[in-house]
Amino acid sequence: MQNQNNEISGSLLSQEELQMFCDYFSIPPHVLLNDQAALDYVVQKRTNMHALVTGYCEMADLNKEICHEFLSCERDLSSF
């Protein structure tokens, strides 16, 4: 069910996207690929999933900045 671009035929899901969706929904890839209704649902939710991943990545960057800003405070407190 994969084409030459390593995409799932009919849905244009990459192998990476397929794995991401299977991990998120806790279903094995063969179940998703053999159930057209489930596959259609996942394709419909593709934009939402990418937005979720993007949001988590942005929050990770923000968390790094916050941790870096408070690192000196933690060093000061560790000397007590």
Side-chain angles (χ1 to χ4, degrees):
M1 293 189 110
Q2 295 178 350
N3 65 19
Q4 293 172 332
N5 295 324
N6 204 27
E7 296 173 328
I8 308 306
S9 63
S11 67
L12 299 178
L13 286 179
S14 68
Q15 194 66 32
E16 183 178 304
E17 288 176 315
L18 175 65
Q19 189 60 51
M20 178 178 64
F21 286 118
C22 288
D23 290 345
Y24 184 79
F25 291 111
S26 300
I27 55 175
H30 73 276
V31 171
L32 185 59
L33 294 174
N34 292 319
D35 184 340
Q36 189 62 45
L39 188 58
D40 290 344
Y41 178 81
V42 164
V43 171
Q44 286 178 339
K45 298 298 179 187
R46 175 191 238 169
T47 302
N48 295 346
M49 183 66 73
H50 284 285
L52 183 65
V53 169
T54 300
Y56 278 120
C57 291
E58 290 172 359
M59 287 304 299
D61 292 339
L62 180 60
N63 286 337
K64 282 183 191 176
E65 290 177 32
I66 292 169
C67 288
H68 182 72
E69 286 183 28
F70 283 95
L71 187 59
S72 63
C73 295
E74 288 186 25
R75 285 185 188 142
D76 291 344
L77 290 173
S78 66
S79 64
F80 282 105

